[in-house]
Amino acid sequence: MTQHEGGPAPSRRALLGWGGAGLALGAAAAGGAAAVARTNDDPNSTASSAVEFHGAHQAGIATPVQDRLHFAAFDVTTEDRGEFAAMLKEWTAAARRMTAGKPVGDGAFGGLAEAPPDDTGEALGLRPSRLTLTIGFGPSLFGKFGLAGKRPEALVDLPRFPGDNLDKSRTGGDLCVQACSDDPQVAVHAIRNLARIGFGKAAIRWSQLGFGKTSSTTPGAQTPRNLMGFKDGTRNIAGTETDRLKKFVWAAAADGGANSAWMSGGSYLVARRIRMNIETWDRASLQEQEDVFGRDKGVGAPVGKSKEHDAPFLKAMKPDAHVRLAHPESNDGATILRRGYSFTDGTDGLGRLDAGLFFLAYQRDVRKGFLPLQRRLSASDALNEYIQHVGSAVFAIPPGVRDKDDWWGRTLLTEEG
Amino acid sequence: MGAIACAATALSISGCTQKDKGGDNAIQVTAADTTCDTSAKSVSAGQVTLKIENKGSKATEVEIVFPDDRIVSEKENIGPGTKYTLTAEVKAGSYEIACRPGMKGHGVRRKLEVSGGSTAKRDPRLDKAVAAYRQYAQDQADETVPRAETFAEAIKSGDLEAAKKAYAPSRVGWERTEPVAESFGDIDPKTDTRADGLEAGQKWTGWHRLEKALWQDKKIGSDEKTLADQLVTDLKDWQRRVGKAEITPTSMANGAKELLDEVATGKVTGEEDRYSHTDLVDFNGNVEGAQKAYELLKPAASKNDPALAKELDKQFAALDALLDKYRTTKGATDFVSYDKVTKGQRKELSDAVNALAEPLSKLAAAVVK
């Protein structure tokens, strides 16, 4: 990692093929390389490159999905709006540097011997690893700083769904930062340094580490498997599908009601920690497992079809099959962009693997995306026997940071709306 | 070679130093109950000899001290009517000779200039801060010993309830100045070690061993009575040595941060006083000690980094206000039992500690800038 000033090298830009709107047009190639990132030590590989921080949309949504996640939800502890804005500016500056593969502030060494270094140092020498940092604002934030008039209607409080067993210490938050990277140390470093800058202004409420992306935003890339061993989310929106992104993911000025002009170009995120009953699942027969999903376990083809990407014939599946219930056709076209990760947090004290899916869904309007989908799934999904939703949060994801003078939250905190 | 010629040449010549003894660098010190007369205000660097006579009515202590009050050399317990010769190697600089009748307090001070060789540059503002902090550390030790004696007496008389009551107060002074006590290396392992901190073969002594006897085993045996006496002896050792502790402006600033680290790792988790659950008393002591160090360094720090000083003022106030919620009596050092503090409340306390400790970690740099 170099410490000189300046943006990402033009060659990296070209490699990623960024369009003016900040979409990854050359995503297929980038995604293909990412699949082998863990074993690829070639410093010229795309896995080592930086993802552009600036753009109309925040990186980390439609940009190619990286291998690792550190997601953190924060409570805002300051009551001073100016101080909150100053922290967001400081966060933006740090995020701008870290996503470019540079250390925070004056770096991790070489400064005053008596002072702790600005950067914690564990990412020194590591490549940018396609780090993306994506910020979001939770419903509870709009009760603070006189922001009530800016809460978008599309940012709904999620109802309690049947079967939910939500743990308060893994639920909610005024702010979130999603750090995705091909190197877990780079993602952890990013959250750690933001948390440090935030002390006294924002405190981590909960966080989640994730590995093994369970969905892909790059067409052509193999759909990764979840911890149940199945390919899920084959029909996910790709970063190249400009029309579907516009229709289902990017918020428009008037979407969320009169209060949401500031959200134009943003999105809404639902995060759910879904615990899997791994041991009982593993004892289920192959037939049952395949019936539950509505796919075969080998190639991932929908029931009655032979290839993973074959269009599913929903009526051939059991009425409570997961794919059938989650499919847009069963939900008046409701479509979300999934960006989930598997997680394993050791064992739970009863000898059971504390593992599952950290589900991340982006959508243009929560009322038209996650809400109808989850209503249907929580009511009748066959998978419910093997999973439990234990954490939940929803966030408004503001538009991208335009340039070096812009900052996270500017449209929320400064513009009329 | 005469003494005068010697003073003008390099003092590393050993013959010179020998001849100096009792010559040029000897100072008569006549101590009494309210006076401290010295025969010279300046000497040359090297071996300095104090010829002390106590003409007062009580035992006295005579010291040569640095501008920050650290003791260069001292003689305690010089009885009325007795004499003593104190010899010390002293480098160039400004010092004071202190007579402390009754061996207590600031004492009567006389200036002493030592010249020759190189003189280290000193910042009088920081010397003042260190001297005041040393005094604070001494006061805390002086106040702790009688409280520890009360605690020990209760144990020796087999009074379980009185001993429990005296436990937490006996720790306050120690907790306020823990980094100074810990700097001696050998006292802390004897007085403040927890069961899990013991090394192989180390006998468990001190406060937490007694805490376990009182709260968990609920009995006082002959071992506990011996350990109670031992605790008092070890704390008196600390009390005696505070004056010689190496304290600098940066060690004060880092000490303040370390006190918050103590809170963050041991108190906020409830590990420190796991049997008595008096963690918040220690917590408060750590914060008070950190605040004292900060207040003394603030004149220097706020000049170099006003924003940092403002932030520290704010975060100390916020943590104090949060601790107030848990005081059983307003303004007192009695706190609710830590096992009654919920997980959510502990998180809130932890957040407030982080909010203070992060800017506090920048204090040392601000002081030396």
mmCIF file of all heavy atoms in Angstrom, chain A residues 75 77-78 80 83 112 114-116 169 196 199-201 203-205, chain B residues 250 254 311 314-315 343 347 351 354-355 358 361-362 364-365 368-369:
data_model
loop_
_atom_site.group_PDB
_atom_site.id
_atom_site.type_symbol
_atom_site.label_atom_id
_atom_site.label_comp_id
_atom_site.label_asym_id
_atom_site.label_seq_id
_atom_site.Cartn_x
_atom_site.Cartn_y
_atom_site.Cartn_z
ATOM 1 N N ASP A 75 -25.099 3.590 17.701
ATOM 2 C CA ASP A 75 -26.005 4.542 18.331
ATOM 3 C C ASP A 75 -25.295 5.886 18.325
ATOM 4 O O ASP A 75 -24.121 5.962 18.695
ATOM 5 C CB ASP A 75 -26.280 4.153 19.798
ATOM 6 C CG ASP A 75 -27.148 2.919 19.896
ATOM 7 O OD1 ASP A 75 -28.062 2.780 19.060
ATOM 8 O OD2 ASP A 75 -26.915 2.093 20.802
ATOM 9 N N THR A 77 -24.409 9.123 20.063
ATOM 10 C CA THR A 77 -24.435 9.497 21.474
ATOM 11 C C THR A 77 -24.340 10.998 21.699
ATOM 12 O O THR A 77 -24.633 11.480 22.774
ATOM 13 C CB THR A 77 -23.296 8.789 22.241
ATOM 14 O OG1 THR A 77 -22.067 9.027 21.552
ATOM 15 C CG2 THR A 77 -23.533 7.280 22.310
ATOM 16 N N THR A 78 -23.917 11.735 20.679
ATOM 17 C CA THR A 78 -23.865 13.187 20.862
ATOM 18 C C THR A 78 -25.250 13.779 20.632
ATOM 19 O O THR A 78 -26.066 13.218 19.889
ATOM 20 C CB THR A 78 -22.855 13.855 19.904
ATOM 21 O OG1 THR A 78 -22.892 15.268 20.117
ATOM 22 C CG2 THR A 78 -23.187 13.578 18.445
ATOM 23 N N ASP A 80 -25.379 17.054 19.850
ATOM 24 C CA ASP A 80 -25.020 18.288 19.166
ATOM 25 C C ASP A 80 -24.964 18.022 17.657
ATOM 26 O O ASP A 80 -24.125 17.258 17.179
ATOM 27 C CB ASP A 80 -23.642 18.726 19.707
ATOM 28 C CG ASP A 80 -23.129 20.004 19.076
ATOM 29 O OD1 ASP A 80 -23.525 20.303 17.929
ATOM 30 O OD2 ASP A 80 -22.321 20.686 19.721
ATOM 31 N N GLU A 83 -21.705 18.691 15.958
ATOM 32 C CA GLU A 83 -20.695 17.682 16.266
ATOM 33 C C GLU A 83 -20.949 16.403 15.453
ATOM 34 O O GLU A 83 -20.018 15.741 14.991
ATOM 35 C CB GLU A 83 -20.735 17.364 17.766
ATOM 36 C CG GLU A 83 -19.523 16.629 18.270
ATOM 37 C CD GLU A 83 -19.528 16.495 19.784
ATOM 38 O OE1 GLU A 83 -20.430 15.827 20.344
ATOM 39 O OE2 GLU A 83 -18.637 17.068 20.417
ATOM 40 N N LEU A 112 4.249 11.678 16.263
ATOM 41 C CA LEU A 112 4.749 11.962 17.612
ATOM 42 C C LEU A 112 4.846 10.679 18.433
ATOM 43 O O LEU A 112 3.911 9.884 18.454
ATOM 44 C CB LEU A 112 3.767 12.892 18.327
ATOM 45 C CG LEU A 112 3.997 14.395 18.260
ATOM 46 C CD1 LEU A 112 2.930 15.094 19.101
ATOM 47 C CD2 LEU A 112 5.386 14.752 18.793
ATOM 48 N N GLU A 114 4.765 10.368 21.559
ATOM 49 C CA GLU A 114 3.894 10.398 22.744
ATOM 50 C C GLU A 114 2.423 10.193 22.412
ATOM 51 O O GLU A 114 1.607 10.024 23.304
ATOM 52 C CB GLU A 114 4.048 11.733 23.484
ATOM 53 C CG GLU A 114 5.383 11.935 24.152
ATOM 54 C CD GLU A 114 6.426 12.472 23.194
ATOM 55 O OE1 GLU A 114 6.111 12.688 22.004
ATOM 56 O OE2 GLU A 114 7.584 12.662 23.619
ATOM 57 N N ALA A 115 2.080 10.268 21.117
ATOM 58 C CA ALA A 115 0.660 10.191 20.752
ATOM 59 C C ALA A 115 0.334 8.860 20.103
ATOM 60 O O ALA A 115 1.153 8.293 19.397
ATOM 61 C CB ALA A 115 0.324 11.327 19.788
ATOM 62 N N PRO A 116 -0.880 8.349 20.352
ATOM 63 C CA PRO A 116 -1.282 7.152 19.610
ATOM 64 C C PRO A 116 -1.425 7.511 18.132
ATOM 65 O O PRO A 116 -1.911 8.585 17.807
ATOM 66 C CB PRO A 116 -2.626 6.776 20.218
ATOM 67 C CG PRO A 116 -3.049 7.898 21.083
ATOM 68 C CD PRO A 116 -1.931 8.856 21.235
ATOM 69 N N SER A 169 -29.865 -6.728 21.357
ATOM 70 C CA SER A 169 -28.460 -6.356 21.190
ATOM 71 C C SER A 169 -27.937 -6.652 19.781
ATOM 72 O O SER A 169 -26.754 -6.499 19.504
ATOM 73 C CB SER A 169 -27.603 -7.070 22.237
ATOM 74 O OG SER A 169 -27.674 -8.463 22.037
ATOM 75 N N ARG A 196 -13.400 4.269 16.215
ATOM 76 C CA ARG A 196 -12.461 5.030 17.033
ATOM 77 C C ARG A 196 -12.691 6.540 16.851
ATOM 78 O O ARG A 196 -12.709 7.293 17.817
ATOM 79 C CB ARG A 196 -11.066 4.641 16.575
ATOM 80 C CG ARG A 196 -10.009 4.991 17.533
ATOM 81 C CD ARG A 196 -8.684 4.460 17.046
ATOM 82 N NE ARG A 196 -7.646 5.137 17.782
ATOM 83 C CZ ARG A 196 -6.440 5.379 17.303
ATOM 84 N NH1 ARG A 196 -6.123 4.967 16.084
ATOM 85 N NH2 ARG A 196 -5.570 6.007 18.020
ATOM 86 N N PHE A 199 -15.880 7.584 18.812
ATOM 87 C CA PHE A 199 -16.006 7.560 20.282
ATOM 88 C C PHE A 199 -16.433 8.924 20.814
ATOM 89 O O PHE A 199 -15.848 9.946 20.471
ATOM 90 C CB PHE A 199 -14.684 7.165 20.937
ATOM 91 C CG PHE A 199 -14.402 5.679 20.882
ATOM 92 C CD1 PHE A 199 -13.137 5.210 20.603
ATOM 93 C CD2 PHE A 199 -15.403 4.757 21.121
ATOM 94 C CE1 PHE A 199 -12.867 3.844 20.553
ATOM 95 C CE2 PHE A 199 -15.152 3.389 21.083
ATOM 96 C CZ PHE A 199 -13.877 2.942 20.794
ATOM 97 N N GLY A 200 -17.446 8.924 21.661
ATOM 98 C CA GLY A 200 -17.954 10.175 22.220
ATOM 99 C C GLY A 200 -19.050 10.786 21.367
ATOM 100 O O GLY A 200 -19.793 11.639 21.824
ATOM 101 N N LYS A 201 -19.147 10.341 20.123
ATOM 102 C CA LYS A 201 -20.177 10.851 19.223
ATOM 103 C C LYS A 201 -21.122 9.733 18.776
ATOM 104 O O LYS A 201 -22.320 9.906 18.664
ATOM 105 C CB LYS A 201 -19.540 11.501 17.980
ATOM 106 C CG LYS A 201 -19.084 12.920 18.218
ATOM 107 C CD LYS A 201 -17.612 13.186 18.454
ATOM 108 C CE LYS A 201 -16.612 12.526 17.612
ATOM 109 N NZ LYS A 201 -15.209 12.827 18.085
ATOM 110 N N ALA A 203 -21.493 5.268 19.250
ATOM 111 C CA ALA A 203 -20.964 4.052 19.876
ATOM 112 C C ALA A 203 -21.503 2.832 19.139
ATOM 113 O O ALA A 203 -22.682 2.791 18.783
ATOM 114 C CB ALA A 203 -21.379 3.991 21.342
ATOM 115 N N ILE A 204 -20.660 1.864 18.921
ATOM 116 C CA ILE A 204 -21.121 0.641 18.247
ATOM 117 C C ILE A 204 -22.202 -0.030 19.091
ATOM 118 O O ILE A 204 -22.052 -0.206 20.294
ATOM 119 C CB ILE A 204 -19.950 -0.332 18.004
ATOM 120 C CG1 ILE A 204 -19.025 0.250 16.928
ATOM 121 C CG2 ILE A 204 -20.465 -1.712 17.590
ATOM 122 C CD1 ILE A 204 -18.356 -0.761 16.028
ATOM 123 N N ARG A 205 -23.300 -0.324 18.440
ATOM 124 C CA ARG A 205 -24.414 -0.997 19.108
ATOM 125 C C ARG A 205 -24.282 -2.507 18.921
ATOM 126 O O ARG A 205 -24.432 -3.272 19.850
ATOM 127 C CB ARG A 205 -25.717 -0.466 18.499
ATOM 128 C CG ARG A 205 -26.982 -1.017 19.094
ATOM 129 C CD ARG A 205 -28.180 -0.414 18.340
ATOM 130 N NE ARG A 205 -29.412 -1.021 18.744
ATOM 131 C CZ ARG A 205 -30.156 -0.592 19.763
ATOM 132 N NH1 ARG A 205 -29.780 0.443 20.485
ATOM 133 N NH2 ARG A 205 -31.276 -1.202 20.069
ATOM 134 N N THR B 250 4.550 13.423 31.065
ATOM 135 C CA THR B 250 3.975 12.389 30.184
ATOM 136 C C THR B 250 3.506 11.180 30.978
ATOM 137 O O THR B 250 2.494 10.578 30.643
ATOM 138 C CB THR B 250 4.971 11.916 29.103
ATOM 139 O OG1 THR B 250 6.270 11.893 29.658
ATOM 140 C CG2 THR B 250 4.943 12.797 27.891
ATOM 141 N N ASN B 254 -0.150 9.767 30.688
ATOM 142 C CA ASN B 254 -0.378 8.356 30.361
ATOM 143 C C ASN B 254 -1.002 7.615 31.527
ATOM 144 O O ASN B 254 -1.788 6.696 31.347
ATOM 145 C CB ASN B 254 0.925 7.693 29.922
ATOM 146 C CG ASN B 254 1.330 8.132 28.528
ATOM 147 O OD1 ASN B 254 0.479 8.323 27.673
ATOM 148 N ND2 ASN B 254 2.615 8.323 28.299
ATOM 149 N N GLU B 311 -12.758 19.106 24.796
ATOM 150 C CA GLU B 311 -13.355 17.782 24.677
ATOM 151 C C GLU B 311 -13.203 16.997 25.987
ATOM 152 O O GLU B 311 -14.132 16.324 26.438
ATOM 153 C CB GLU B 311 -12.701 17.024 23.506
ATOM 154 C CG GLU B 311 -13.235 15.618 23.247
ATOM 155 C CD GLU B 311 -14.677 15.599 22.759
ATOM 156 O OE1 GLU B 311 -15.204 16.658 22.367
ATOM 157 O OE2 GLU B 311 -15.276 14.504 22.794
ATOM 158 N N LYS B 314 -15.538 18.190 28.637
ATOM 159 C CA LYS B 314 -16.889 17.725 28.333
ATOM 160 C C LYS B 314 -17.077 16.250 28.698
ATOM 161 O O LYS B 314 -18.069 15.871 29.320
ATOM 162 C CB LYS B 314 -17.134 17.941 26.834
ATOM 163 C CG LYS B 314 -18.535 17.635 26.383
ATOM 164 C CD LYS B 314 -18.639 17.877 24.888
ATOM 165 C CE LYS B 314 -19.590 16.871 24.286
ATOM 166 N NZ LYS B 314 -19.580 16.910 22.833
ATOM 167 N N GLN B 315 -16.100 15.426 28.324
ATOM 168 C CA GLN B 315 -16.252 13.990 28.558
ATOM 169 C C GLN B 315 -16.083 13.608 30.027
ATOM 170 O O GLN B 315 -16.721 12.675 30.500
ATOM 171 C CB GLN B 315 -15.295 13.193 27.668
ATOM 172 C CG GLN B 315 -15.540 13.366 26.162
ATOM 173 C CD GLN B 315 -16.939 12.946 25.726
ATOM 174 O OE1 GLN B 315 -17.659 12.263 26.461
ATOM 175 N NE2 GLN B 315 -17.347 13.386 24.543
ATOM 176 N N LYS B 343 -26.979 -5.104 31.890
ATOM 177 C CA LYS B 343 -26.122 -5.205 30.727
ATOM 178 C C LYS B 343 -26.169 -3.910 29.899
ATOM 179 O O LYS B 343 -25.145 -3.406 29.443
ATOM 180 C CB LYS B 343 -26.608 -6.385 29.874
ATOM 181 C CG LYS B 343 -25.526 -7.092 29.091
ATOM 182 C CD LYS B 343 -26.119 -8.334 28.413
ATOM 183 C CE LYS B 343 -25.463 -8.577 27.069
ATOM 184 N NZ LYS B 343 -26.140 -9.574 26.249
ATOM 185 N N LYS B 347 -23.166 -1.207 29.173
ATOM 186 C CA LYS B 347 -22.816 -0.763 27.819
ATOM 187 C C LYS B 347 -22.710 0.771 27.799
ATOM 188 O O LYS B 347 -21.790 1.342 27.223
ATOM 189 C CB LYS B 347 -23.880 -1.266 26.839
ATOM 190 C CG LYS B 347 -23.857 -0.648 25.434
ATOM 191 C CD LYS B 347 -22.730 -1.195 24.568
ATOM 192 C CE LYS B 347 -22.929 -0.924 23.081
ATOM 193 N NZ LYS B 347 -22.966 0.457 22.679
ATOM 194 N N ASP B 351 -19.450 2.880 26.906
ATOM 195 C CA ASP B 351 -19.414 3.900 25.844
ATOM 196 C C ASP B 351 -18.852 5.214 26.378
ATOM 197 O O ASP B 351 -18.070 5.891 25.703
ATOM 198 C CB ASP B 351 -20.820 4.144 25.281
ATOM 199 C CG ASP B 351 -21.306 2.986 24.414
ATOM 200 O OD1 ASP B 351 -20.466 2.160 24.022
ATOM 201 O OD2 ASP B 351 -22.516 2.926 24.128
ATOM 202 N N ASN B 354 -15.092 4.932 26.814
ATOM 203 C CA ASN B 354 -14.423 5.059 25.511
ATOM 204 C C ASN B 354 -14.415 6.507 25.032
ATOM 205 O O ASN B 354 -13.430 6.977 24.466
ATOM 206 C CB ASN B 354 -15.126 4.193 24.465
ATOM 207 C CG ASN B 354 -14.697 2.744 24.542
ATOM 208 O OD1 ASN B 354 -13.588 2.444 24.961
ATOM 209 N ND2 ASN B 354 -15.572 1.845 24.156
ATOM 210 N N ALA B 355 -15.535 7.186 25.257
ATOM 211 C CA ALA B 355 -15.650 8.579 24.808
ATOM 212 C C ALA B 355 -14.619 9.462 25.507
ATOM 213 O O ALA B 355 -14.123 10.426 24.935
ATOM 214 C CB ALA B 355 -17.057 9.101 25.070
ATOM 215 N N GLU B 358 -10.510 7.922 24.663
ATOM 216 C CA GLU B 358 -9.943 8.184 23.333
ATOM 217 C C GLU B 358 -9.266 9.569 23.288
ATOM 218 O O GLU B 358 -8.088 9.656 22.968
ATOM 219 C CB GLU B 358 -11.037 8.036 22.271
ATOM 220 C CG GLU B 358 -10.527 8.084 20.845
ATOM 221 C CD GLU B 358 -9.637 6.907 20.441
ATOM 222 O OE1 GLU B 358 -9.728 5.843 21.087
ATOM 223 O OE2 GLU B 358 -8.848 7.075 19.503
ATOM 224 N N SER B 361 -6.109 9.770 25.448
ATOM 225 C CA SER B 361 -4.889 9.157 24.919
ATOM 226 C C SER B 361 -4.050 10.184 24.146
ATOM 227 O O SER B 361 -2.898 9.933 23.819
ATOM 228 C CB SER B 361 -5.243 7.963 24.017
ATOM 229 O OG SER B 361 -5.805 8.405 22.794
ATOM 230 N N LYS B 362 -4.629 11.337 23.872
ATOM 231 C CA LYS B 362 -3.895 12.381 23.138
ATOM 232 C C LYS B 362 -3.308 13.431 24.076
ATOM 233 O O LYS B 362 -2.654 14.384 23.631
ATOM 234 C CB LYS B 362 -4.823 13.037 22.117
ATOM 235 C CG LYS B 362 -5.382 12.035 21.118
ATOM 236 C CD LYS B 362 -6.239 12.701 20.049
ATOM 237 C CE LYS B 362 -6.632 11.715 18.972
ATOM 238 N NZ LYS B 362 -7.979 11.165 19.143
ATOM 239 N N ALA B 364 -0.900 13.227 26.467
ATOM 240 C CA ALA B 364 0.558 13.233 26.622
ATOM 241 C C ALA B 364 1.224 14.041 25.503
ATOM 242 O O ALA B 364 2.112 14.866 25.755
ATOM 243 C CB ALA B 364 1.096 11.801 26.630
ATOM 244 N N ALA B 365 0.751 13.823 24.278
ATOM 245 C CA ALA B 365 1.332 14.550 23.143
ATOM 246 C C ALA B 365 1.055 16.048 23.269
ATOM 247 O O ALA B 365 1.913 16.878 22.948
ATOM 248 C CB ALA B 365 0.760 14.009 21.836
ATOM 249 N N VAL B 368 3.553 17.694 25.794
ATOM 250 C CA VAL B 368 4.969 17.856 25.428
ATOM 251 C C VAL B 368 5.184 18.624 24.126
ATOM 252 O O VAL B 368 6.310 18.897 23.749
ATOM 253 C CB VAL B 368 5.690 16.494 25.316
ATOM 254 C CG1 VAL B 368 5.647 15.772 26.636
ATOM 255 C CG2 VAL B 368 5.075 15.631 24.206
ATOM 256 N N LYS B 369 4.100 18.961 23.440
ATOM 257 C CA LYS B 369 4.202 19.633 22.140
ATOM 258 C C LYS B 369 5.126 20.843 22.176
ATOM 259 O O LYS B 369 5.047 21.632 23.092
ATOM 260 C CB LYS B 369 2.807 20.085 21.690
ATOM 261 C CG LYS B 369 2.357 19.401 20.408
ATOM 262 C CD LYS B 369 0.960 19.869 20.035
ATOM 263 C CE LYS B 369 0.144 18.691 19.502
ATOM 264 N NZ LYS B 369 -1.258 19.032 19.314
#
